[in-house]
Amino acid sequence: MAGTVIAMEVVALVVAYLAFGWPMLVVGAPVIVGTALVLLVVHVSEEPRRRLAAFRADRRKQPRPPQGGLMSGFYELPVQRVTSGGSTTWGPANRAGAPRV
């Protein structure tokens, strides 16, 4: 895409030179150099942005520690569960962060 932009500017400068003469080179040449510098800066700044995006994506893939804290499960109502022997027991809800009994 950058090559296309520079090529269109060069074509426009050649057409302007043929139509108006050498004064167009005074205006057009610095514009082409400026465009080339801007495209170079954008190209150089893309690598750190790509690395940052990859770092953020890797950070999201890492497993998070289970949520819970000092009071996790304190306010939960106990639920009735059926054990393998067929008897029922009461205990905390089975979810992440709930204390194990």
Side-chain angles (χ1 to χ4, degrees):
M1 186 60 96
T4 304
V5 170
I6 297 292
M8 288 190 314
E9 283 188 356
V10 169
V11 169
L13 182 62
V14 168
V15 170
Y17 173 72
L18 294 174
F20 300 106
W22 67 269
M24 291 300 111
L25 295 177
V26 173
V27 174
V31 168
I32 292 175
V33 171
T35 302
L37 288 175
V38 166
L39 291 173
L40 179 68
V41 167
V42 167
H43 178 70
V44 168
S45 69
E46 282 295 310
E47 182 59 30
R49 187 195 61 77
R50 257 188 239 116
R51 279 189 280 143
L52 179 62
F55 174 74
R56 287 180 177 167
D58 288 343
R59 190 174 62 188
R60 287 187 190 132
K61 291 178 185 176
Q62 294 176 355
R64 293 184 178 233
Q67 297 295 321
L70 184 62
M71 297 293 288
S72 66
F74 182 75
Y75 294 105
E76 291 182 16
L77 295 174
V79 295
Q80 189 174 13
R81 293 179 292 181
V82 177
T83 60
S84 60
S87 64
T88 59
T89 60
W90 288 91
N94 187 12
R95 58 171 226 189
R100 304 288 182 231
V101 179

